[in-house]
Amino acid sequence: MRILSGNFTGNASAGRAITGVGFAPDLVIIKNVDNTTDTWFKTIEMSSTQSAPMRSDAATDTTHITALGSDGFTVSADSAVNGNTQTIVWLAMKDDGAGDFDTFTYTGDNTDDKLVFSAFQPTFALIKSNFTIVGAEKFAGQASATGTPASNFA
C-alpha cells in the first residue's frame, strides 16, 4: 500500500486541485479540522464526482471530493473540504499490489454473514452504503461490525 497524508489551507474555490501526492489515489479521506463538518471520502469505484460522508447516514453526493487524479484529487468550494482560511487534512492511499489494501464495491442481498473480502483478511474495514443507510466499521478480532447513526466512523 502507498499512503501519504498532508494538509492545506482552504480557499473556498470550486475545482481546487490538490497535487503532489506522487501517485493516483484509490482512496482519499479529507477533514476540515477547524469546524464540525463530516469527514468525507472518495474511492476509485465511486462514479465521477461522487463522494461520501464517513460519520453520518447521509447518502453520497457530488459536492465534496469531486475527482481523483493521476497525482492527487480535486475538491469543491464546500466548507467541509475547502473552507476559506481553514485547515484541511487529508489521507491518500493506493493499492500497490502487495495484498495489504483494497477498495471495492459489492451488491448486498440483505442476508447475514456475507463474505465480501476475498483477496485477503483485513485488519480494519469500513463499509458504507451508497444510500442513506448507516455504515459500519470493524477491526480484526471484533465480534461484529459496530456503528450507530451518531457514532459511525468517529
Side-chain angles (χ1 to χ4, degrees):
M1 152 183 23
R2 295 183 71 182
I3 186 168
L4 186 70
S5 63
N7 66 73
F8 63 92
T9 300
N11 66 8
S13 296
R16 179 165 185 192
I18 307 302
T19 60
V21 173
F23 54 87
D26 293 339
L27 168 67
V28 168
I29 302 171
I30 190 167
K31 173 68 179 153
N32 181 333
V33 297
D34 289 335
N35 70 32
T36 59
T37 60
D38 285 330
T39 300
W40 286 82
F41 76 98
K42 179 173 182 58
T43 70
I44 59 171
E45 288 81 18
M46 292 176 162
S47 63
S48 60
T49 61
Q50 187 179 43
S51 60
M54 292 182 78
R55 188 160 193 259
S56 75
D57 58 352
T60 59
D61 76 13
T62 59
T63 61
H64 291 84
I65 305 169
T66 57
L68 299 178
S70 62
D71 188 38
F73 56 95
T74 303
V75 295
S76 71
D78 190 278
S79 65
V81 295
N82 194 15
N84 193 37
T85 71
Q86 296 181 333
T87 302
I88 314 298
V89 295
W90 56 265
L91 178 72
M93 302 173 79
K94 179 166 186 65
D95 180 9
D96 64 1
D100 56 0
F101 174 77
D102 196 10
T103 63
F104 59 91
T105 63
Y106 73 95
T107 302
D109 61 7
N110 207 30
T111 61
D112 288 342
D113 302 322
K114 177 112 177 152
L115 176 64
V116 295
F117 305 105
S118 59
F120 62 95
Q121 178 65 43
T123 302
F124 180 73
L126 296 175
I127 302 166
K128 174 72 170 140
S129 170
N130 199 27
F131 305 101
T132 56
I133 298 172
V134 176
E137 70 272 4
K138 184 178 187 320
F139 288 93
Q142 185 177 353
S144 63
T146 62
T148 66
S151 66
N152 275 343
F153 309 109

